Amino acid sequence: MDLITIAKNNIEANWKGSFTIPTARLYPFQWMWDSGFTSMGIALYDLEKAMTEIRTMFSGQWENGMLPHILFHSENETTYFPNYDFWMSNVNDGAPSHPKSSGITQPAVFGFVLEEIYLQHKNNPEVILFIKEIYPKVLAYHRFLYEYRDPHNEGLFFIYHPWETGRDNSPLWDESMDRIVIDPDTIPAYTRRDTQIANAEERPTSDQYDKYVYLLELGKKYKYDGPEIAEHSPVLIQDSMMNAILIKSNESLLNLARALDLDSTYLDQKQDLSIKTFKEKLWNQDLESFVCFDMRGNHQIAHKEIGGFISLFAGLASNEQAKVQADYLWSLHHRGYYLCPSFDVDSPLFDSKRYWRGPVWPQMNWMIYKGLLRYGYMNLANIVKNDLIELVSKLGFHEYFEAEKAKASTQDKGYGGPNFSWTSSCFLHLKLAE
Ligand code: GLC
């Protein structure tokens, strides 16, 4: 069977009637940014289904505008931890009672997802109606990020749980997580499910997991949107990737507003401030990279990692900044890495196998590919695209992949879950959409 058919079949197998799960067993619910990336691929062959996927995601939006990182559509599914009964989203009055959800968010992808779908189906009146229906919901979500997560009105929002960033166990969060001292009386007993399903060596450690639960409990204590979170959380970070994605999605919403005559007053005010602060606060000249900012420690998090490259996708880098980032990616290519490793390969914290501490992730390649095209780096963009296509062809539609070519050549499959939705979708998009 050809790879395009396999990709579609994977998505169809993960389709649960009104949404897709990322992969069977390991992630049996609807995840937010997975849903966004997956809907873009689905839109290339089944527009109705893609629109349903997005509508289902927004059926879980909270009254305050928050879009949860997981929607637990099936309350009978017990193989996942932390499940809806552990999150207890009903501590917040504005959380819908159905679908039940987590209490934290994930990268704000839906603005650019809507624009991608619009551009693919520009002349379809049904798509225009759909955009008009979803646009205010995406706007309400962006408003949530600015109003609940930007206490100093800087135009950058904070995260307080690593799961919000989508890069769960990246070394970026280590210093902040080290501030957490676990008192066994403050976190409830729990049993992990992920390590029963996936290889423990490819998953976060148990110490990290205790701290994830600690932060979940902290969010719950303050109803997931209280100002006390900013006051008390030991983890309070302006993530360069999350903010670049928000800025990119703002830009897409502004483009849609212009094309379809929609109200964009709120974003007109916010976008300039966000761009300005991002450029001033998050560039690190020594590392030649955009980095995250630790608001608790009041300093930049000085690590080179994949999130910094999303500045290209959002058009935030100057031409010189884009050039040094491109040169760095070329050097990794020449040193025998697949593009793009998720963490600095020269750091002692790099681990080519463990989740976000080194491996290559499909949706990141999709964004970086688009970013390099935006700055005119065609050849490098094609390497980013073809590396992912090669990994998928050789190692299957897995969740993530070995970054070192020499090691990958001895393997017969990728890491994490198999038949993964966003891997299939990004593959389809890179192959079929231009
Ligand atoms: C992991 C990833 C996260 C993703 C989720 C579902 O938690 O780190 O980015 O959304 O799995 O695929």
Side-chain angles (χ1 to χ4, degrees), residues 208-223:
Q208 273 162 349
Y209 231 81
D210 278 353
K211 294 178 175 177
Y212 296 147
V213 172
Y214 171 95
L215 291 172
L216 187 164
E217 290 298 318
L218 180 126
K220 194 190 295 177
K221 183 166 164 196
Y222 300 121
K223 302 185 170 39

Side-chain angles (χ1 to χ4, degrees), residues 68-311:
H69 98 298
I70 304 177
L71 298 184
F72 299 99
H73 294 292
S74 157
E75 292 172 27
N76 302 326
E77 175 64 72
T78 55
T79 56
Y80 183 77
F81 174 84
N83 212 326
Y84 69 92
D85 50 348
F86 203 86
W87 283 100
M88 290 172 57
S89 56
N90 60 351
V91 296
N92 186 298
D93 291 341
S97 44
H98 294 285
K100 296 232 174 0
S101 63
S102 68
I104 56 171
T105 192
Q106 262 194 336
V109 296
F110 283 96
F112 74 73
V113 166
L114 278 194
E115 191 186 17
E116 275 292 331
I117 294 179
Y118 171 71
L119 294 174
Q120 296 288 337
H121 301 273
K122 231 178 183 164
N123 300 319
N124 184 333
E126 211 193 330
V127 168
I128 293 177
L129 282 179
F130 174 72
I131 304 279
K132 289 186 173 170
E133 170 197 333
I134 302 296
Y135 174 94
K137 299 177 196 249
V138 182
L139 197 59
Y141 173 53
H142 290 198
R143 194 188 277 269
F144 162 80
L145 296 174
Y146 285 119
E147 291 186 359
Y148 288 82
R149 300 293 191 88
D150 181 14
H152 311 306
N153 204 12
E154 293 176 89
L156 299 181
F157 71 95
F158 71 75
I159 59 93
Y160 69 93
H161 198 302
W163 289 344
E164 298 199 291
T165 69
R167 314 200 288 308
D168 304 12
N169 71 334
S170 167
L172 288 171
W173 329 126
D174 288 0
E175 186 189 336
S176 300
M177 295 291 269
D178 283 347
R179 292 191 191 112
I180 301 175
V181 182
I182 299 287
D183 168 354
D185 296 337
T186 57
I187 60 164
Y190 68 91
T191 308
R192 275 177 80 167
R193 300 302 183 123
D194 60 323
T195 41
Q196 296 168 359
I197 296 171
N199 186 345
E201 278 176 25
E202 295 164 20
R203 303 287 308 173
T205 62
S206 54
D207 175 57
Q208 273 162 349
Y209 231 81
D210 278 353
K211 294 178 175 177
Y212 296 147
V213 172
Y214 171 95
L215 291 172
L216 187 164
E217 290 298 318
L218 180 126
K220 194 190 295 177
K221 183 166 164 196
Y222 300 121
K223 302 185 170 39
Y224 294 118
D225 67 0
E228 299 90 342
I229 293 174
E231 267 171 56
H232 299 299
S233 176
V235 178
L236 207 69
I237 293 168
Q238 290 162 325
D239 174 14
S240 63
M241 183 186 90
M242 292 283 275
N243 279 286
I245 289 182
L246 176 68
I247 290 169
K248 170 69 189 174
S249 277
N250 282 343
E251 176 186 77
S252 290
L253 291 184
L254 289 166
N255 291 341
L256 290 170
R258 256 190 307 277
L260 304 176
D261 199 17
L262 306 169
D263 182 12
S264 64
T265 328
Y266 183 76
L267 285 186
D268 286 333
Q269 294 158 5
K270 287 291 179 190
Q271 180 74 331
D272 289 351
L273 176 64
S274 291
I275 293 174
K276 181 169 178 287
T277 315
F278 187 100
K279 290 181 173 178
E280 285 172 6
K281 195 171 181 183
L282 303 186
W283 178 252
N284 183 306
Q285 189 55 43
D286 294 339
L287 294 176
E288 299 187 320
S289 178
F290 285 99
V291 296
C292 302
F293 192 88
D294 176 353
M295 294 173 79
R296 195 50 81 220
N298 199 26
H299 59 75
Q300 287 189 338
I301 301 179
H303 283 304
K304 219 172 165 80
E305 59 88 38
I306 195 153
F309 297 104
I310 306 306
S311 58

